[in-house]
């Protein structure tokens, strides 16, 4: 389980106030423990705030002569929209071109999680992941594509059930070279 901060009693109290504001009785049987559970769940869903890049990578950089694309595809992600506090759920595709060192495979997924487990918009999440991979690896290029469905668009508002959002950030060789970018997009199934 990821490291989280100690339970915040103020957060618990505020969830109780939300129930009252909705016209509910937080003392009824089904809701008696809800404020505490909701506070605990929100802290878990936002545990990325308790993490930093150095701790997540934990020295898992390894010397390598490889100078070809390294990709981790279909990394599940779960985040909360900072505008409505509703989930968005999807997957990230992350690639980089090493320049003397490679990152431990699980660390890519952990970097995705660290930023996803914060209040976010997908556009910023995509950039944060790309810049973190670049910072850690000093890669010749980094590419990140995120595909996600947003509950704020599905459960409320326009209520479009089959819509999804795709964002991308291309740095270095992925931005400068159409050939490199096309190879990445083909490998993730976004190009012919």
């Amino acid at each position: 389980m990821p490291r989280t901060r100690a339970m915040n009693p103020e957060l618990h109290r505020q969830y109780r106030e939300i129930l009252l504001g909705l016209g509910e009785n937080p003392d009824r049987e089904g809701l008696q423990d809800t404020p505490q559970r909701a506070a605990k769940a929100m802290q878990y869903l936002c545990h990325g705030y308790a993490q930093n890049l150095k701790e997540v990578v934990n020295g898992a950089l390894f010397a390598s002569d490889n100078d070809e694309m390294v990709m981790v595809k279909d990394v599940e992600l779960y985040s909360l929209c900072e505008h409505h506090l509703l989930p968005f759920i999807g997957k990230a595709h992350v690639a980089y071109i090493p320049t003397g060192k490679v990152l431990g495979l699980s660390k890519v997924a952990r970097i995705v999680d660290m930023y996803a487990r914060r209040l976010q918009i997908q556009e910023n999440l995509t950039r944060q992941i790309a810049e973190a991979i670049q910072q850690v690896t000093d890669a010749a290029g980094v590419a990140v594509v995120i595909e996600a469905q947003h509950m704020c668009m599905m459960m409320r508002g326009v209520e479009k059930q089959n819509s999804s959002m795709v964002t991308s950030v291309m740095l270095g060789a992925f931005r400068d070279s159409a050939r490199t970018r096309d190879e990445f997009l083909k490998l993730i199934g976004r190009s012919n």
Side-chain angles (χ1 to χ4, degrees):
M1 180 168 167
R3 184 185 76 190
T4 58
R5 294 178 227 137
M7 175 53 88
N8 181 341
E10 182 62 18
L11 195 55
H12 170 253
R13 185 195 67 72
Q14 291 166 345
Y15 271 106
R16 182 176 170 79
E17 290 299 315
I18 289 170
L19 291 173
L20 287 167
L22 292 172
E24 263 293 355
N25 174 7
D27 294 320
R28 76 171 169 84
E29 182 181 357
L31 293 178
Q32 287 174 356
D33 295 328
T34 297
Q36 182 176 353
R37 284 191 302 259
K40 191 174 183 180
M42 185 58 80
Q43 282 190 276
Y44 178 81
L45 294 173
C46 293
H47 69 258
Y49 291 118
Q51 298 177 302
N52 68 58
L53 191 55
K54 184 177 180 182
E55 290 173 351
V56 166
V57 172
N58 194 26
L61 281 169
F62 307 100
S64 175
D65 292 334
N66 180 38
D67 61 358
E68 298 291 330
M69 187 185 311
V70 174
M71 182 180 350
V72 182
K73 188 175 157 182
D74 296 325
V75 178
E76 302 99 15
L77 67 85
Y78 307 92
S79 195
L80 290 174
C81 161
E82 67 184 35
H83 300 141
H84 302 98
L85 301 183
L86 290 173
F88 65 93
I89 300 164
K91 56 188 173 181
H93 311 291
V94 180
Y96 66 98
I97 299 172
T99 56
K101 54 189 170 187
V102 293
L103 182 60
L105 178 63
S106 71
K107 302 308 180 182
V108 173
R110 291 183 191 280
I111 289 169
V112 170
D113 284 346
M114 179 182 75
Y115 289 108
R117 294 303 189 149
R118 300 174 182 188
L119 301 180
Q120 283 287 10
I121 61 172
Q122 184 174 326
E123 298 90 335
N124 291 348
L125 174 60
T126 309
R127 177 152 301 279
Q128 290 166 352
I129 294 166
E131 289 175 349
I133 298 291
Q134 177 66 49
Q135 178 185 335
V136 168
T137 64
D138 195 29
V142 176
V144 177
V145 169
I146 294 178
E147 307 170 54
Q149 292 187 295
H150 292 251
M151 296 304 118
C152 59
M153 191 167 166
M154 296 170 74
M155 295 175 64
R156 54 159 300 283
V158 296
E159 296 184 33
K160 299 301 178 201
Q161 304 308 305
N162 296 308
S163 63
S164 64
M165 181 176 187
V166 178
T167 52
S168 70
V169 170
M170 307 287 171
L171 304 175
F174 289 96
R175 185 179 198 104
D176 300 336
S177 168
R179 187 171 164 198
T180 303
R181 183 172 49 256
D182 288 346
E183 178 185 356
F184 168 70
L185 293 172
K186 184 176 182 182
L187 287 170
I188 66 169
R190 288 240 156 239
S191 177
N192 293 336

